[in-house]
Amino acid sequence: KNQVEQSPQSLIILEGKNCTLQCNYTVSPFSNLRWYKQDTGRGPVSLTIMTFSENTKSNGRYTATLDADTKQSSLHITASQLSDSASYICVVSDRGSTLGRLYFGRGTQLTVWP
Amino acid sequence: EADIYQTPRYLVIGTGKKITLECSQTMGHDKMYWYQQDPGMELHLIHYSYGVNSTEKGDLSSESTVSRIRTEHFPLTLESARPSHTSQYLCASSGDRPNEKLFFGSGTQLSVL
């Protein structure tokens, strides 16, 4: 069964600290892996998209890694800010159709305290 | 960055009412989607469209219907709302290439009393 599992479910860190969020997936075949940031009551916003051949991609203070062999990804946030408080969603796309079906994780709820 | 708009942002209605959630995008995307999301849960695809006059049901069974008469417009309709329809509804669009970014609207939070 194609699944995307994220950990931890929630995380609280102090402003300025770093953190790493995890994503494990069983989706096959694999096309790409995406990380989204979703503020409360808003739609998700794309942070990174990685294909099979990419093992790291950065977007400002966000760095995503991908290990397609172990089917694991991580999102590292450096020097956290209060505005980083949000849900971070891992999404994996398969190559089963022209649409490229998307499998969503439940997200990691990050809270940054001052 | 995203030019995709949803209205209303919040909607509280009584059981049995007919509602239409609006979604428009100005990016010229052929592909559009409707997702349903409950608190703390993953997004579930309920409808998608590849282009004008093309609509398909998604993975999650939904009593809602959609239409795609114009490229930029993808409204979702509930003929008779029920409390079980209470949820957040997210509209999204993307280009045609496989690794295209998915752009989301801000969502409509629907509460049916």
Side-chain angles (χ1 to χ4, degrees):
Chain A
K1 182 180 177 183
N2 289 323
Q3 286 184 312
V4 177
E5 300 287 344
Q6 293 187 243
S7 62
Q9 184 176 355
S10 61
L11 180 64
I12 299 174
I13 62 173
L14 295 177
E15 186 179 15
K17 298 296 185 182
N18 303 336
C19 67
T20 300
L21 314 179
Q22 300 291 343
C23 173
N24 296 335
Y25 62 93
T26 59
V27 177
S28 181
F30 173 86
S31 177
N32 59 68
L33 185 145
R34 308 156 185 243
W35 282 95
Y36 284 84
K37 177 187 178 187
Q38 185 176 23
D39 293 318
T40 301
R42 312 290 294 190
V45 175
S46 178
L47 295 176
T48 62
I49 300 176
M50 289 184 292
T51 60
F52 185 88
S53 59
E54 298 172 298
N55 54 24
T56 186
K57 183 165 279 191
S58 292
N59 178 357
R61 294 179 297 102
Y62 301 102
T63 299
T65 64
L66 172 66
D67 186 333
D69 292 330
T70 61
K71 298 187 177 181
Q72 296 179 325
S73 176
S74 65
L75 180 69
H76 186 73
I77 304 175
T78 304
S80 61
Q81 300 176 356
L82 299 179
S83 59
D84 292 332
S85 294
S87 178
Y88 291 84
I89 302 172
C90 177
V91 186
V92 180
S93 176
D94 69 9
R95 293 178 296 180
S97 69
T98 54
L99 178 65
R101 181 179 169 172
L102 299 179
Y103 296 85
F104 288 80
R106 293 187 176 185
T108 292
Q109 183 64 48
L110 175 66
T111 303
V112 181
W113 283 2
Chain B
E1 180 185 64
D3 294 314
I4 179 166
Y5 308 99
Q6 289 186 244
T7 57
R9 284 294 315 282
Y10 304 94
L11 181 60
V12 181
I13 60 169
T15 297
K17 299 293 185 184
K18 177 181 178 179
I19 62 165
T20 296
L21 307 184
E22 302 287 348
C23 176
S24 295
Q25 51 95 7
T26 59
M27 296 173 281
H29 288 161
D30 284 328
K31 294 181 177 177
M32 295 190 73
Y33 316 83
W34 276 103
Y35 289 91
Q36 187 173 339
Q37 185 183 31
D38 293 317
M41 301 297 287
E42 63 267 46
L43 277 71
H44 290 285
L45 181 67
I46 52 175
H47 298 283
Y48 62 94
S49 168
Y50 287 147
V52 171
N53 294 325
S54 156
T55 61
E56 300 287 345
K57 289 190 178 295
D59 308 317
L60 183 66
S61 175
S62 175
E63 293 166 348
S64 59
T65 59
V66 292
S67 63
R68 191 87 183 275
I69 299 173
R70 304 197 316 266
T71 297
E72 63 271 23
H73 196 212
F74 192 39
L76 181 147
T77 298
L78 272 168
E79 290 293 332
S80 179
R82 294 204 300 270
S84 60
H85 296 138
T86 295
S87 188
Q88 184 179 40
Y89 293 83
L90 290 161
C91 181
S93 72
S94 71
D96 292 329
R97 291 174 294 178
N99 298 324
E100 284 275 359
K101 205 182 286 189
L102 196 60
F103 293 93
F104 285 89
S106 293
T108 294
Q109 180 60 52
L110 173 64
S111 296
V112 184
L113 306 179

